[in-house]
């Protein structure tokens, strides 16, 4: 079995350390990828620290993978050696259930196989992208358009699709007022995408510290949620609110900002429950919904959309030795707007 250099968390409470991990031999439908860049998603931190439940350690996180194909199995048709490719949050699904057939593999009824920390078909636990190589079945490998740099593209594989999918599903576009809560990794992609789709975009951030960035990324308006007058001023304003916040927030007060029939879609995934006051839904026929990443077809569509509109993540490229520092900065909302690991620093 080939090995790869990687970083792994030895437990929920220890820093990530350099290690080597095994990758499976490239099977007939597999693609061997030399990973060039891996984004750091807040979900990596939730997972390795046990926020979402117990994990098997050591655990190599990373589901924002961009790299180059260096090997292919005998039956592979979608990719060839030298292709620029990406892998996101899942590496397999049953392929047969209703949701998989619809191209919504992320909602596979048998459970999709996560890129890390999931039990793979061969019984091993999947290990993610903070690593130099990965082997993935070709159907879960997408093509990165030539005009997108690999480092800028990496965060699109999770952050980019997680915001693109609900914006499309809930019809963000001309004539629609869309608010994005939280200007972090997901939020800064949501702002760019909603703007490119033609919506009127508002950022709701904890403070006005990042206002200049938000407006440059395409927001039309920017408000601080720490200012109570924000909630009075914006009552009944938005058709769609996408909440990207990684911590619990008072959902009911954000529901008040929706128009009649408006929807608040939660993509942020704090461990704690998000209680809702029924009247904030009833008064205004409002919806409170959720959305998880996006299917493979839609992920490719999102990459093509970002390339066409010249969108990408705003990144800070770091050597692997800085992963633990980056985690602390993400937790302190001190990220502008995605840390991306240069995996060549792992060798
Ligand atoms: P991130 O870069 O840390 O961004 C989160 C942002 O939320 C921060 O930049 C901050 O924005 C705001 N925030 C943080 N703590 C807050 C608090 N206590 N109160 C109010 N606002 C706060 O994280 P991310 O990588 O974008 O991920 C965001 C969340 O989405 C995580 O929970 C992650 O697990 C989840 N996620 C879900 C999916 C999915 O499929 N649904 C996919 C990927 C990630 P401001 O400074 O602007 O306020
Ligand atoms: Zn993610």
């Amino acid at each position: 079995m080939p090995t790869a250099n990687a970083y792994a968390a030895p437990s929920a409470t220890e820093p990530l350390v350099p290690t080597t991990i095994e990758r499976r031999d490239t099977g007939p439908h597999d693609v061997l990828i030399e990973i060039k860049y891996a984004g750091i998603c807040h979900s990596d931190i939730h997972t390795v620290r046990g926020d979402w439940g117990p994990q098997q350690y050591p655990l190599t996180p990373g589901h924002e993978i961009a790299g180059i194909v260096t090997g292919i199995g005998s039956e592979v048709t979608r990719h060839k050696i030298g292709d620029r490719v990406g892998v996101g949050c899942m590496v397999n699904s049953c392929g047969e259930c209703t949701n998989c057939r619809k191209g919504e593999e992320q909602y596979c009824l048998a459970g999709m196989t996560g890129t890390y920390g999931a039990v793979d078909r061969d019984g091993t636990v999947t290990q993610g992208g903070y690593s130099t190589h990965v082997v993935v079945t070709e159907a879960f490998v997408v093509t990165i358009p030539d005009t997108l740099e690999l480092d800028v593209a990496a965060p699109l594989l999770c952050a980019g699709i997680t915001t693109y999918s609900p914006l499309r599903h809930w019809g963000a576009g001309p004539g629609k007022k869309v608010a994005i809560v939280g200007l972090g990794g997901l939020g800064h992609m949501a702002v760019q995408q909603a703007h490119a789709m033609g919506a009127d975009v508002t950022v709701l951030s904890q403070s006005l510290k990042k206002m200049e960035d938000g407006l440059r990324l395409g927001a039309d308006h920017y408000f601080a949620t720490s200012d109570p007058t924000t909630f009075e001023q914006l009552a009944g304003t938005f058709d769609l609110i996408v909440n990207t916040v990684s911590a619990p927030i008072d959902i009911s007060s954000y529901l008040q900002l929706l128009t009649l029939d408006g929807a608040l879609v939660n993509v942020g995934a704090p461990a704690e429950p998000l209680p809702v006051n029924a009247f904030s839904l009833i008064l205004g026929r409002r919806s409170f919904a959720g959305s998880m990443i996006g299917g493979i077809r839609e992920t490719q569509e999102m990459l093509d959309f970002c390339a066409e509109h010249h969108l990408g993540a705003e990144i800070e490229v770091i050597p692997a030795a800085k992963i633990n520092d980056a985690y602390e900065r993400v937790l302190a909302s001190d990220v502008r707007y995605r840390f991306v690991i240069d995996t060549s620093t792992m060798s």
Side-chain angles (χ1 to χ4, degrees), residues 40-47 52 63-64 89 106-107 158-159 161-163 180-188 203-207 209-210 222 225 243-249 254 266-271 290-294 329-335 337-338:
I40 293 181
C41 177
H42 205 119
S43 303
D44 301 343
I45 306 173
H46 287 308
T47 307
W52 293 344
H63 57 207
E64 294 187 335
C89 301
Q106 72 279 29
Y107 304 119
C158 173
I161 183 59
T162 300
T163 51
I180 308 301
V181 191
L183 193 68
L186 268 55
H188 94 292
V203 174
L204 301 174
S205 179
Q206 293 168 95
S207 72
K209 275 192 284 193
K210 295 181 273 190
Y222 202 106
T225 52
N243 173 28
T244 74
V245 174
S246 45
I249 57 171
Y254 288 83
N266 217 82
V267 292
S291 182
M292 185 170 70
I293 48 173
R329 287 184 54 194
V330 171
L331 288 167
S333 299
D334 177 24
V335 51
Y337 284 86
R338 202 57 144 185

Side-chain angles (χ1 to χ4, degrees), residues 3-6 33-36 129-134 343 346-347:
T3 57
N5 295 336
I33 301 166
E34 184 183 325
I35 300 173
K36 296 291 188 187
Y130 297 6
S131 156
T132 52
H133 296 84
V134 67
T343 58
M346 288 184 184
S347 38

